[in-house]
Amino acid sequence: EEAAAARVAAAATATASNAELFAALERAEAAEAAEFETAALLADEREETARLASALALSEARCGAAEAAMAQTSQADTEREAVLADLEAARAELESAETALESARTE
């Protein structure tokens, strides 16, 4: 009987040990699944970061182009103002010449 009791106790110990091993295996599998999920999330985050970096670069390029266009517009405005000033000066000279001609005719 003692031998049988010892075998039953050994079997119970083995069963408990197996149960602990299965529980440890399940925890390891859950940890591995969590690790894969974390890796997938990290990959998604990296992809999103790359997409955002690309969008930012495109936006910065567009900003640069808009700033260049604004600078060209400003330069064109300055040139237009200079041409208008030259035109106004020429008009004043013409009026002065017309006045001088009119004076010369009346004399």
Side-chain angles (χ1 to χ4, degrees):
E1 280 184 28
E2 287 181 21
R7 284 192 302 267
V8 169
T13 301
T15 301
S17 180
N18 282 344
E20 288 177 12
L21 289 174
F22 280 120
L25 179 61
E26 286 177 352
R27 287 191 302 273
E29 287 174 348
E32 185 178 14
E35 186 178 325
F36 280 124
E37 184 177 342
T38 301
L41 290 172
L42 183 58
D44 289 346
E45 287 298 319
R46 286 182 179 150
E47 184 178 314
E48 181 67 8
T49 299
R51 187 189 67 75
L52 290 173
S54 176
L56 178 60
L58 179 59
S59 179
E60 287 174 344
R62 287 178 178 166
C63 263
E67 287 174 352
M70 286 174 52
Q72 287 178 347
T73 299
S74 178
Q75 182 178 355
D77 286 347
T78 301
E79 290 172 2
R80 183 177 58 87
E81 289 172 7
V83 167
L84 288 174
D86 289 347
L87 182 59
E88 190 62 36
R91 184 176 291 139
E93 286 181 27
L94 179 60
E95 287 176 0
S96 177
E98 287 176 344
T99 302
L101 182 60
E102 195 62 38
S103 292
R105 284 187 186 158
T106 57
E107 291 181 2

